[in-house]
Amino acid sequence: MLYPSISYLIFFPIVLLTYWLSPPGRFRQLVLLAASYFFYMSWIPQYGLLLLVLTTVNYLFGLGIHAWRYKPWARSIFFLGITSNLFCLAYYKYADFFLENFCALLSSLGMQISVFRALESSSQNIILPLAISFFTFEFIHYLYDIHKKADTPIKDPLEFFLFAAFFPSQIAGPIKRYQDFIGKIRQNPSFDSERFNSGLALIIQGLFKKVAIADNLAVIANHGFTQHQSLGGVESWIMVMAFTMQIYFDFSGYTDMGRGSSRMLGIELPKNFNLPYLASDIADFWKRWHISLSSWLKDYLYIPLGGNKCSKSRKEFNLLVTMLLGGLWHGAAWHFVLWGAAHGMGLIIFHRYRDLVKKLTLLQRFHQTVLGKIVSTSSTLIFVAMTWVLFRAETVPQAFSILSQMLFLNQFSSLSALEEVLVSSIAPYSLGLYLVYAMLFTPKLAAFRPVLIDKVRDRILSRPSVRIPCYAGACVAAIGLAAPQTTPFIYFQF
Amino acid sequence: MKVITPEKKELKNLVIPKQKLSARPGLEFLGCTILIVIALEILFSFAGVGEQECLKVDQNLGFSHFENKLVTWRREGFSRSLFNSYGMPDREYSLEKPSGVRRIAVTGDSYVEALQLDRDKNFCRQLEKRLGEKYQVMNFGVQAHNLAQSYLNTDSLIMKFSPDLLIVPFRPEGTFLLPPDLKTGFLSARPNIFVDSDGELIIDRTVQEIWNNSREGKRMKATEWLRKHSRIWGIIAGSMEQFCKWKRDGGLLSSWLHPNEAKEAGMAWTENHSRKESKEENTALVFPNTSQEGEEAIKFSWPVAAGIIEHMKLLCEKNNCRMIIVRMPGVDGHSSNVESELLFETTRSLDIPTLDLTKPFQDHLLNYNDKLFLTTHFSEAGHRLVTEEIASFLMDKRFLAPGN
């Protein structure tokens, strides 16, 4: 089930009503669990069983690791738990990729092993379970924290099953931390109209970002990537910037809808984005983009590898490995690995540059000026945008071809290939409307607007007689400005 | 302790002040709603959204275009055009034919209407440009119209313009569209035409009337003004259409009701999203054909199609107009051999010149790289090819005045 769908429009109010009308405590948790499984099974019903089995196995591993924490075999159980999760992820997501590359390697060495060929062809029939990367990472975090940090496992099966299946974060995160989530559901949140309203506003904001902005930008980006051979240099940049914006609005819009839904249920989910394209450097970018994944990678990969408490070269190696695996997490294809590698290299270069800046006062002063800040932010954005080419391209050669068009600006002024989609695009209207909304409502931009605007806005919107038509109008605007064809949510594939 | 108890008399005089019901929230709500509606209408008119509603209930044809309606089309392609005062997706024409001008009328469905393209790029306009100013090529295409509706439209509207030539396109599997079907809603609520034993055409409006009197039909009729003028309503109507489809597909339980479809969708999704690099598509071009069952159904329904074609010819003869039939190609060269054979047999026996576009399209698809179809309808290149073929056919059959 997708958030911007009629199914969710019917499903969510039913869940909301049942949840708030149920007696607080376990009954509400049961309602949420049933709703979460219904939500997951509305895609392919059989895969509900996979989620159930994986959750049961991890629940038992968690209890086992904790119960035998002082026994010599505790470590083995922990590794078994982690391996089972990774095996499951590898089977469903990477089997085809690894077997295909392994077979290609064998045939390049002049070897043909029919068993691998047969395995490869059978792996093509595996349907990738929705959100497997997200819940696998949550399970790994759970087992790791119990084993390494000696945290208490979740003893109540209902709570654990709800942690694993909670529908507002099920499909595309944010990747939750169990301590935080369980703490919140144990508080038995009571109905708070203020929180309820802000949750609803967040859902509408997310809906607008996804259907009115991201999907419209997707028309330009998809057209460009399909016809990339006929694009000129400027067109390539337009296409890449369209995708850069698309992926942000797509993912953050989806997260907003999930967070908004959860907030309306009285449970706050962690933030996943913090104006990432305003990042001053690439390290800052990763603190603002997909925050729950980057913090997961830092805590469960980078730090266990040694983090920065080691030699400079080892630290750089750790960074590169973390980003490479982060890239591979996004998808079983070489262009994702390259995307991760590019970010890893970007981080290494940035760290070296930062060391240099520390030594040179002139550079330090330059970066403190307005111009210095503009240069830092725009160069970070350009770097990120260029790496999105590796992410979005369907093959590595396609990515390099587009990058060369962008760098060498072939047929500089040509706009013929994108002309039709640009002329018919609704994106300028939806982006313009969103900009007005962001200027009026985004707390981060409060410094740029007069205080009076905030006061008037809050006073007007505090009245339901004004708020209700405004919300309804925003929904109609989102649906009206929606792209003619819905583009599947990008992070579904991960 | 002292207790004060009022006497009954005093109690009668005591009046608890009633809380005044304020009209302010209601007025605020109304004012705010009006402001938002105006703002959204302005925004949508600039952005060109909510303007896809272009069909109205028509007692004669089942459904037809709104007159003088600005339509912005975003399905398959993009176009923004104003229908004329007769509801044609074309510029304004006078009923009276200008002297020295020959008129070619093109009837048909969405392949002729061609809303997915800029008006100047459809084959009617291109043909007119090609033939020069002595010719007017008039587009009477209405999406989802079948042959019976084209016949009725020719009778009620087209002949009023005194065309010299009528072009009747016949799409692949067009025979399937002849019987009305209530399941698919508005677009199938059309008159049913069949031929009796004396060769007389019988127009049966039962299905059309059932639909018109259904809840959906009445709603459609009642909201006609809004559908024509309000962009917000256009959006609401589009959403309601989607809601009806969602309900038909099983609603919240669709994946439980259709597990195989859900699995197939999952497989397609996996292929699309996570195995982009690995598979090479089979690039060999194969032109699909209609299934065996489909061919049987075509044979069964053909006498109706043949009867309509015959009456169309009679109508043209009565109005001193010539007629040709154009066998349209299906998407990516799809064809129905049985239907084509039956069509050519009928037109041969009725002596109606017939142009078959199937072969030129298939040849083009085999030899050139440009796409002739968007998803279902012709692309700009497809319309160019249709123009070329019709122009040379008209030349060959001497429909054109000397010098053209």
Side-chain angles (χ1 to χ4, degrees), chain A residues 19-34:
Chain A
Y19 177 80
W20 286 116
L21 290 177
S22 308
R26 291 185 70 76
F27 205 82
R28 281 191 185 166
Q29 290 178 10
L30 259 173
V31 169
L32 281 186
L33 184 65

Side-chain angles (χ1 to χ4, degrees), chain A residues 334-368:
Chain A
W334 286 112
H335 60 98
F336 285 123
V337 179
L338 273 177
W339 174 75
H343 272 275
M345 290 307 295
L347 282 167
I348 291 168
I349 293 167
F350 165 70
H351 283 144
R352 288 194 178 192
Y353 180 72
R354 196 172 56 185
D355 292 344
L356 185 74
V357 171
K358 277 178 194 165
K359 286 176 198 158
L360 297 171
T361 334
L362 199 68
L363 263 179
Q364 244 174 30
R365 279 191 195 151
F366 172 71
H367 281 292
Q368 280 158 2

Side-chain angles (χ1 to χ4, degrees), chain A residues 7 42 96 124 424 463 465, chain B residues 28 74 246 255 267 275 278:
Chain A
S7 296
S42 66
D96 187 43
Q124 287 168 14
S424 63
R463 296 178 195 158
S465 54
Chain B
E28 270 177 3
R74 293 179 186 277
W246 175 82
S255 59
M267 195 71 219
R275 294 176 190 143
S278 55

Side-chain angles (χ1 to χ4, degrees), chain B residues 47-70:
Chain B
V49 295
E51 293 174 349
Q52 78 286 356
E53 286 286 308
C54 59
L55 296 177
K56 61 172 184 172
V57 176
D58 186 305
Q59 294 307 325
N60 181 34
L61 301 174
F63 51 87
S64 61
H65 283 149
F66 280 119
E67 298 87 9
N68 300 313
K69 167 96 167 101
L70 176 69

Side-chain angles (χ1 to χ4, degrees), chain A residues 443-459:
Chain A
K444 288 259 160 59
L445 300 175
F448 298 101
R449 60 181 174 251
V451 184
L452 187 68
I453 289 185
D454 283 15
K455 280 185 181 167
V456 173
R457 183 200 67 199
D458 293 343
R459 199 164 165 194

Side-chain angles (χ1 to χ4, degrees), chain A residues 7 41-43 96 100 123-124 126-128 333-334 394-396 424 426 429 463 465 469 480 484 492-493, chain B residues 24-25 28-29 36 46 49 74 78 235 243 246 252 255-256 262-263 267 269-270 273 275 277-279:
Chain A
S7 296
M41 291 165 80
S42 66
W43 186 59
D96 187 43
E100 189 199 350
S123 71
Q124 287 168 14
I126 300 168
I127 300 175
L128 184 65
W334 286 112
E394 293 187 3
T395 58
V396 175
S424 63
I426 312 170
Y429 300 96
R463 296 178 195 158
S465 54
F492 263 3
Q493 56 188 301
Chain B
R24 198 178 150 176
E28 270 177 3
F29 180 83
I36 285 171
F46 277 111
V49 295
R74 293 179 186 277
F78 174 76
I235 287 154
F243 181 72
W246 175 82
L252 278 177
S255 59
W256 274 273
K263 216 170 164 183
M267 195 71 219
W269 172 78
T270 308
H273 290 288
R275 294 176 190 143
E277 279 188 317
S278 55
K279 312 294 165 307

